[in-house]
Each structure stands twice: as C-alpha cells, then as structure tokens.
Amino acid sequence: CRAEMPGLVRVQKRYADRGLRVLGYNAEANEGAARAFVARYGVTYPVLYDPSGHELLRIPKGVVNPQFVPFTFLVDKKGRVAASMAGAVSERRAGAVVGELLAEE
C-alpha cells in the first residue's frame, strides 16, 4: 500500500476529468492509525475504513483474492468489473490499464 499510494493519487488526478474515481480500502483495526496513514501519504481519494472486513465480502467472487493484499480492481461506468490486479500496482501499470479502458468508451 505504501509503495503504490503516491502513484494511485497521481493516476486519480490525471484521469479524474475523464471519470476515474479511486476508492481506497483500509482494514486497519485502529481507526487513528488508518487516518494517519491516509494523511501521511497524501491520499486525496476516499478510503473505506472496514476493520471487520465485511465490505470485502461484497466484492464478487473471483474478482480478487482478498488474501493477497494489496489488490486493485477497476469498475466501469456500468458497474462491471473491467480489470483486476493482485499485488502492488505501479503508477505506470495502473495508468496503462485505465488509459486502455477509457479508450474503449
């Protein structure tokens, strides 16, 4: 998460005017620590705080394996999962996938 955060912030800024919305997820048990993480890394997009893990259960089966964090998935404007990636995602990789998906519109 620490490694990919700055890149995801930049990708969000780069594509925000084209409809990209990034949503983070934090399962940290300590809410203060979760908020401090967001502030420390300058996260400008919303972060879902879910220490119980209940929201993970709402992700459709097969999209990601929640045992491998971090994970990233992209949802298109129709609410369909368009791409998923396990492990840390570089800014370059995230930007390339987002760019391809936006080009398909």
Side-chain angles (χ1 to χ4, degrees), residues 25-100:
Y25 175 84
N26 192 314
E28 170 69 46
N30 180 310
E31 187 172 1
R35 291 183 187 278
F37 179 89
V38 168
R40 180 177 179 189
Y41 289 93
V43 178
T44 56
Y45 50 80
V47 176
L48 175 66
Y49 176 64
D50 183 36
S52 67
H54 286 110
E55 293 303 317
L56 282 179
L57 298 175
R58 298 178 64 180
I59 298 172
K61 284 187 177 190
V63 171
V64 294
N65 184 341
Q67 293 176 333
F68 297 106
V69 292
F71 56 81
T72 303
F73 62 94
L74 303 172
V75 179
D76 68 16
K77 290 181 179 181
K78 294 180 181 177
R80 299 176 300 204
V81 175
S84 63
M85 298 165 270
V89 176
S90 69
E91 178 180 357
R92 184 176 184 175
R93 183 175 176 206
V97 173
V98 168
E100 288 174 18

